[in-house]
């Protein structure tokens, strides 16, 4: 019979900022990054009892994050493939630019992820969430 061990959830909590930065680097919107981060943290809390060696926490965590990312992307792809005809009429047909293969775009995304949290939040709020400078200022002051 498995014995329930005293789990130190502080390890998982300490990974939150790193996980969000990792998620931002692998998704294209703040909402998806937040959703992915939440799912990774949930899976970590749910699976922490399976960790056999505390010294191997980070490799275990990042492996779990990679698996969760794959499942997350599959779920998003299925959701995109099951759009209704009403949604298809709202899509813009003319934009065929492939951001994922553009080296300059990928370099820019890496630079954003490397910024401090405050600057990164401003960039994400302005360019990804389309907030005005005034709205960003109000949001960051609260």
């Amino acid at each position: 019979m498995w014995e329930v061990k005293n789990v130190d959830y502080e390890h998982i909590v300490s990974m939150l900022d790193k996980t969000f930065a990792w998620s931002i680097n692998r998704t294209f919107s703040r909402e998806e990054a937040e959703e992915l981060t939440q799912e990774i943290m949930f899976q970590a809390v749910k699976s922490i009892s399976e960790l056999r060696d505390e010294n191997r926490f980070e490799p275990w965590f990042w492996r779990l994050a990679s698996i969760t990312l794959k499942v997350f992307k599959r779920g998003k792809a299925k959701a995109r493939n099951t759009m209704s005809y009403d949604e298809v009429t709202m899509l813009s047909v003319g934009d065929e630019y492939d951001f994922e293969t553009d080296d300059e775009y990928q370099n820019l995304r890496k630079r954003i992820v490397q910024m401090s949290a405050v600057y990164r939040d401003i960039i994400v709020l302005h360019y990804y969430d389309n907030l005005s400078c005034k709205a960003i200022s109000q949001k960051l002051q609260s």
Side-chain angles (χ1 to χ4, degrees):
M1 188 78 178
W2 287 93
E3 184 178 315
V4 178
K5 59 182 176 181
N6 188 7
V7 179
D8 183 13
Y9 292 105
E10 292 301 318
H11 284 280
I12 296 171
V13 173
S14 70
M15 298 298 287
L16 186 59
D17 289 336
K18 288 180 187 177
T19 305
F20 183 68
W22 185 86
S23 296
I24 284 275
N25 197 26
R26 283 154 182 82
T27 61
F28 291 98
S29 72
R30 183 178 181 88
E31 293 83 18
E32 282 190 8
E34 289 172 349
E35 189 177 339
L36 176 58
T37 301
Q38 180 178 353
E39 185 61 27
I40 291 168
M41 300 308 273
F42 172 73
Q43 292 298 330
V45 168
K46 190 169 94 173
S47 306
I48 190 71
S49 62
E50 297 171 12
L51 179 64
R52 302 212 192 296
D53 181 6
E54 264 186 57
N55 295 327
R56 303 277 305 149
F57 173 77
E58 283 209 31
W60 170 85
F61 184 86
W62 292 120
R63 177 73 179 135
L64 181 90
S66 295
I67 293 168
T68 305
L69 173 64
K70 289 175 187 172
V71 172
F72 181 81
K73 284 188 173 184
R74 270 189 233 123
K76 289 293 181 184
K78 284 181 184 178
R80 287 184 192 109
N81 289 335
T82 58
M83 282 193 273
S84 72
Y85 289 109
D86 295 334
E87 293 177 82
V88 173
T89 59
M90 294 186 293
L91 293 175
S92 63
V93 179
D95 189 16
E96 295 182 15
Y97 185 74
D98 187 9
F99 288 105
E100 289 189 34
T101 59
D102 185 1
D103 291 335
E104 187 175 342
Y105 181 73
Q106 293 301 326
N107 187 31
L108 178 62
R109 289 185 70 230
K110 287 178 187 174
R111 301 276 184 200
I112 291 171
V113 170
Q114 293 171 346
M115 291 178 158
S116 69
V118 173
Y119 292 117
R120 185 176 56 242
D121 286 345
I122 292 169
I123 295 290
V124 170
L125 289 169
H126 183 73
Y127 291 102
Y128 289 95
D129 295 345
N130 296 319
L131 294 180
S132 67
C133 292
K134 183 176 182 178
I136 292 170
S137 174
Q138 290 171 343
K139 185 169 186 150
L140 293 178
Q141 286 178 355
S142 57

Short mmCIF file of all heavy atoms in Angstrom, two decimals, residues 21-29 33 73 99-100 102-115 120 128:
data_model
loop_
_atom_site.label_atom_id
_atom_site.label_comp_id
_atom_site.label_asym_id
_atom_site.label_seq_id
_atom_site.Cartn_x
_atom_site.Cartn_y
_atom_site.Cartn_z
N ALA A 21 6.49 32.45 -17.51
CA ALA A 21 7.41 32.89 -18.56
C ALA A 21 7.58 31.80 -19.62
O ALA A 21 7.59 32.08 -20.82
CB ALA A 21 8.76 33.26 -17.95
N TRP A 22 7.70 30.56 -19.17
CA TRP A 22 7.83 29.42 -20.07
C TRP A 22 6.58 29.30 -20.94
O TRP A 22 6.66 29.05 -22.15
CB TRP A 22 8.04 28.16 -19.22
CG TRP A 22 8.31 26.89 -19.95
CD1 TRP A 22 9.53 26.44 -20.38
CD2 TRP A 22 7.35 25.88 -20.31
NE1 TRP A 22 9.37 25.21 -20.97
CE2 TRP A 22 8.06 24.85 -20.94
CE3 TRP A 22 5.98 25.76 -20.13
CZ2 TRP A 22 7.44 23.70 -21.42
CZ3 TRP A 22 5.35 24.62 -20.61
CH2 TRP A 22 6.07 23.61 -21.24
N SER A 23 5.42 29.51 -20.34
CA SER A 23 4.14 29.41 -21.06
C SER A 23 3.98 30.53 -22.08
O SER A 23 3.50 30.31 -23.19
CB SER A 23 2.97 29.43 -20.08
OG SER A 23 3.00 28.31 -19.24
N ILE A 24 4.37 31.74 -21.70
CA ILE A 24 4.31 32.88 -22.63
C ILE A 24 5.16 32.59 -23.86
O ILE A 24 4.78 32.89 -24.98
CB ILE A 24 4.82 34.19 -21.94
CG1 ILE A 24 3.78 34.76 -20.99
CG2 ILE A 24 5.22 35.24 -22.95
CD1 ILE A 24 2.73 35.63 -21.62
N ASN A 25 6.31 31.96 -23.65
CA ASN A 25 7.22 31.66 -24.75
C ASN A 25 6.65 30.59 -25.69
O ASN A 25 7.08 30.48 -26.82
CB ASN A 25 8.57 31.20 -24.20
CG ASN A 25 9.66 31.26 -25.23
OD1 ASN A 25 9.61 32.04 -26.17
ND2 ASN A 25 10.65 30.42 -25.06
N ARG A 26 5.69 29.82 -25.23
CA ARG A 26 5.16 28.72 -26.03
C ARG A 26 3.73 28.94 -26.52
O ARG A 26 3.20 28.11 -27.24
CB ARG A 26 5.24 27.43 -25.23
CG ARG A 26 6.68 26.91 -25.23
CD ARG A 26 7.01 26.06 -24.04
NE ARG A 26 8.40 25.63 -24.07
CZ ARG A 26 9.42 26.35 -23.67
NH1 ARG A 26 9.23 27.56 -23.19
NH2 ARG A 26 10.65 25.88 -23.73
N THR A 27 3.13 30.04 -26.11
CA THR A 27 1.79 30.38 -26.59
C THR A 27 1.85 31.78 -27.19
O THR A 27 2.85 32.47 -27.06
CB THR A 27 0.76 30.35 -25.45
OG1 THR A 27 1.12 31.31 -24.46
CG2 THR A 27 0.66 28.97 -24.83
N PHE A 28 0.77 32.20 -27.80
CA PHE A 28 0.78 33.49 -28.47
C PHE A 28 -0.16 34.50 -27.85
O PHE A 28 -0.40 35.55 -28.39
CB PHE A 28 0.45 33.31 -29.96
CG PHE A 28 1.54 32.60 -30.70
CD1 PHE A 28 1.46 31.25 -30.93
CD2 PHE A 28 2.66 33.29 -31.10
CE1 PHE A 28 2.47 30.59 -31.59
CE2 PHE A 28 3.69 32.64 -31.76
CZ PHE A 28 3.59 31.29 -32.00
N SER A 29 -0.70 34.19 -26.70
CA SER A 29 -1.55 35.18 -26.03
C SER A 29 -1.40 35.02 -24.52
O SER A 29 -1.07 33.95 -24.02
CB SER A 29 -3.02 34.99 -26.43
OG SER A 29 -3.56 33.84 -25.83
N ALA A 33 -1.41 31.62 -22.13
CA ALA A 33 -0.29 31.40 -21.21
C ALA A 33 -0.80 31.24 -19.78
O ALA A 33 -0.32 30.36 -19.04
CB ALA A 33 0.70 32.55 -21.29
N LYS A 73 -2.04 21.90 -26.33
CA LYS A 73 -2.05 22.26 -27.76
C LYS A 73 -3.01 21.37 -28.54
O LYS A 73 -3.69 21.84 -29.44
CB LYS A 73 -0.64 22.18 -28.34
CG LYS A 73 0.21 23.36 -27.95
CD LYS A 73 1.51 23.37 -28.69
CE LYS A 73 2.26 24.65 -28.40
NZ LYS A 73 3.50 24.75 -29.18
N PHE A 99 3.89 33.54 -38.49
CA PHE A 99 4.75 34.09 -37.45
C PHE A 99 5.69 33.04 -36.86
O PHE A 99 6.78 33.36 -36.44
CB PHE A 99 3.89 34.69 -36.32
CG PHE A 99 3.22 35.96 -36.71
CD1 PHE A 99 1.87 35.99 -36.99
CD2 PHE A 99 3.93 37.13 -36.79
CE1 PHE A 99 1.24 37.17 -37.34
CE2 PHE A 99 3.32 38.32 -37.14
CZ PHE A 99 1.97 38.34 -37.41
N GLU A 100 5.26 31.80 -36.79
CA GLU A 100 6.06 30.77 -36.12
C GLU A 100 7.38 30.50 -36.83
O GLU A 100 8.34 30.09 -36.20
CB GLU A 100 5.25 29.47 -35.99
CG GLU A 100 4.15 29.59 -34.98
CD GLU A 100 3.49 28.27 -34.68
OE1 GLU A 100 4.19 27.24 -34.69
OE2 GLU A 100 2.29 28.26 -34.44
N ASP A 102 9.04 32.83 -38.70
CA ASP A 102 9.77 34.08 -38.86
C ASP A 102 10.81 34.23 -37.75
O ASP A 102 10.46 34.36 -36.58
CB ASP A 102 8.79 35.25 -38.84
CG ASP A 102 9.45 36.59 -39.12
OD1 ASP A 102 10.67 36.63 -39.35
OD2 ASP A 102 8.74 37.61 -39.09
N ASP A 103 12.09 34.21 -38.11
CA ASP A 103 13.17 34.28 -37.13
C ASP A 103 13.14 35.58 -36.33
O ASP A 103 13.37 35.58 -35.12
CB ASP A 103 14.54 34.14 -37.81
CG ASP A 103 14.77 32.75 -38.35
OD1 ASP A 103 14.14 31.81 -37.83
OD2 ASP A 103 15.57 32.62 -39.29
N GLU A 104 12.83 36.67 -36.99
CA GLU A 104 12.79 37.96 -36.30
C GLU A 104 11.69 37.97 -35.25
O GLU A 104 11.88 38.45 -34.13
CB GLU A 104 12.56 39.09 -37.32
CG GLU A 104 12.66 40.47 -36.72
CD GLU A 104 12.54 41.56 -37.79
OE1 GLU A 104 12.71 41.28 -38.97
OE2 GLU A 104 12.26 42.70 -37.38
N TYR A 105 10.55 37.42 -35.59
CA TYR A 105 9.43 37.36 -34.65
C TYR A 105 9.78 36.46 -33.46
O TYR A 105 9.52 36.81 -32.31
CB TYR A 105 8.18 36.84 -35.36
CG TYR A 105 6.97 36.76 -34.47
CD1 TYR A 105 6.31 37.92 -34.08
CD2 TYR A 105 6.50 35.55 -34.01
CE1 TYR A 105 5.20 37.86 -33.26
CE2 TYR A 105 5.39 35.48 -33.19
CZ TYR A 105 4.74 36.64 -32.82
OH TYR A 105 3.65 36.58 -31.99
N GLN A 106 10.39 35.31 -33.72
CA GLN A 106 10.79 34.41 -32.64
C GLN A 106 11.83 35.06 -31.74
O GLN A 106 11.79 34.91 -30.52
CB GLN A 106 11.33 33.08 -33.20
CG GLN A 106 10.28 32.25 -33.91
CD GLN A 106 9.12 31.89 -33.01
OE1 GLN A 106 9.27 31.67 -31.82
NE2 GLN A 106 7.93 31.84 -33.59
N ASN A 107 12.76 35.80 -32.32
CA ASN A 107 13.77 36.51 -31.53
C ASN A 107 13.11 37.56 -30.65
O ASN A 107 13.47 37.71 -29.47
CB ASN A 107 14.80 37.15 -32.46
CG ASN A 107 15.96 37.75 -31.70
OD1 ASN A 107 16.34 37.29 -30.63
ND2 ASN A 107 16.53 38.80 -32.26
N LEU A 108 12.15 38.28 -31.19
CA LEU A 108 11.42 39.29 -30.41
C LEU A 108 10.70 38.64 -29.23
O LEU A 108 10.74 39.15 -28.10
CB LEU A 108 10.42 40.02 -31.30
CG LEU A 108 9.54 41.07 -30.63
CD1 LEU A 108 10.39 42.20 -30.06
CD2 LEU A 108 8.53 41.62 -31.61
N ARG A 109 10.05 37.51 -29.45
CA ARG A 109 9.34 36.80 -28.38
C ARG A 109 10.32 36.37 -27.28
O ARG A 109 10.02 36.48 -26.09
CB ARG A 109 8.61 35.58 -28.94
CG ARG A 109 7.41 35.98 -29.78
CD ARG A 109 6.60 34.82 -30.25
NE ARG A 109 5.91 34.24 -29.13
CZ ARG A 109 5.92 32.94 -28.83
NH1 ARG A 109 6.56 32.10 -29.57
NH2 ARG A 109 5.25 32.48 -27.80
N LYS A 110 11.49 35.90 -27.67
CA LYS A 110 12.49 35.49 -26.67
C LYS A 110 12.94 36.68 -25.84
O LYS A 110 13.12 36.57 -24.63
CB LYS A 110 13.70 34.85 -27.36
CG LYS A 110 13.43 33.48 -27.89
CD LYS A 110 14.64 32.93 -28.61
CE LYS A 110 14.31 31.62 -29.29
NZ LYS A 110 15.41 31.14 -30.11
N ARG A 111 13.11 37.83 -26.49
CA ARG A 111 13.54 39.04 -25.78
C ARG A 111 12.46 39.49 -24.78
O ARG A 111 12.77 39.93 -23.69
CB ARG A 111 13.84 40.17 -26.75
CG ARG A 111 14.91 39.86 -27.73
CD ARG A 111 16.25 40.09 -27.17
NE ARG A 111 17.22 39.86 -28.23
CZ ARG A 111 18.47 39.62 -28.02
NH1 ARG A 111 18.93 39.59 -26.79
NH2 ARG A 111 19.29 39.41 -29.01
N ILE A 112 11.20 39.40 -25.18
CA ILE A 112 10.11 39.80 -24.29
C ILE A 112 10.09 38.91 -23.05
O ILE A 112 9.93 39.38 -21.93
CB ILE A 112 8.75 39.76 -25.03
CG1 ILE A 112 8.70 40.88 -26.06
CG2 ILE A 112 7.59 39.89 -24.05
CD1 ILE A 112 7.51 40.81 -26.99
N VAL A 113 10.28 37.62 -23.24
CA VAL A 113 10.27 36.68 -22.11
C VAL A 113 11.42 36.96 -21.16
O VAL A 113 11.29 36.78 -19.94
CB VAL A 113 10.33 35.22 -22.64
CG1 VAL A 113 10.57 34.24 -21.52
CG2 VAL A 113 9.04 34.88 -23.35
N GLN A 114 12.54 37.46 -21.66
CA GLN A 114 13.70 37.73 -20.82
C GLN A 114 13.58 39.03 -20.03
O GLN A 114 14.36 39.27 -19.13
CB GLN A 114 14.97 37.78 -21.69
CG GLN A 114 15.33 36.44 -22.29
CD GLN A 114 16.44 36.54 -23.30
OE1 GLN A 114 16.80 37.61 -23.76
NE2 GLN A 114 16.99 35.39 -23.65
N MET A 115 12.59 39.86 -20.35
CA MET A 115 12.42 41.13 -19.63
C MET A 115 11.97 40.88 -18.20
O MET A 115 11.44 39.82 -17.89
CB MET A 115 11.34 41.98 -20.32
CG MET A 115 11.70 42.50 -21.65
SD MET A 115 10.27 43.41 -22.32
CE MET A 115 11.08 44.43 -23.49
N ARG A 120 7.62 43.19 -19.06
CA ARG A 120 6.96 42.16 -19.84
C ARG A 120 5.44 42.32 -19.76
O ARG A 120 4.75 42.23 -20.77
CB ARG A 120 7.38 40.78 -19.37
CG ARG A 120 6.84 39.65 -20.20
CD ARG A 120 7.35 38.29 -19.77
NE ARG A 120 7.06 38.02 -18.38
CZ ARG A 120 7.97 37.82 -17.44
NH1 ARG A 120 9.24 37.85 -17.72
NH2 ARG A 120 7.61 37.58 -16.19
N TYR A 128 -0.61 42.43 -26.86
CA TYR A 128 -1.41 41.21 -26.94
C TYR A 128 -2.85 41.44 -26.49
O TYR A 128 -3.78 40.89 -27.06
CB TYR A 128 -0.79 40.08 -26.11
CG TYR A 128 0.48 39.53 -26.72
CD1 TYR A 128 1.72 39.99 -26.32
CD2 TYR A 128 0.43 38.54 -27.69
CE1 TYR A 128 2.89 39.49 -26.87
CE2 TYR A 128 1.58 38.03 -28.25
CZ TYR A 128 2.81 38.50 -27.84
OH TYR A 128 3.95 38.01 -28.39
#
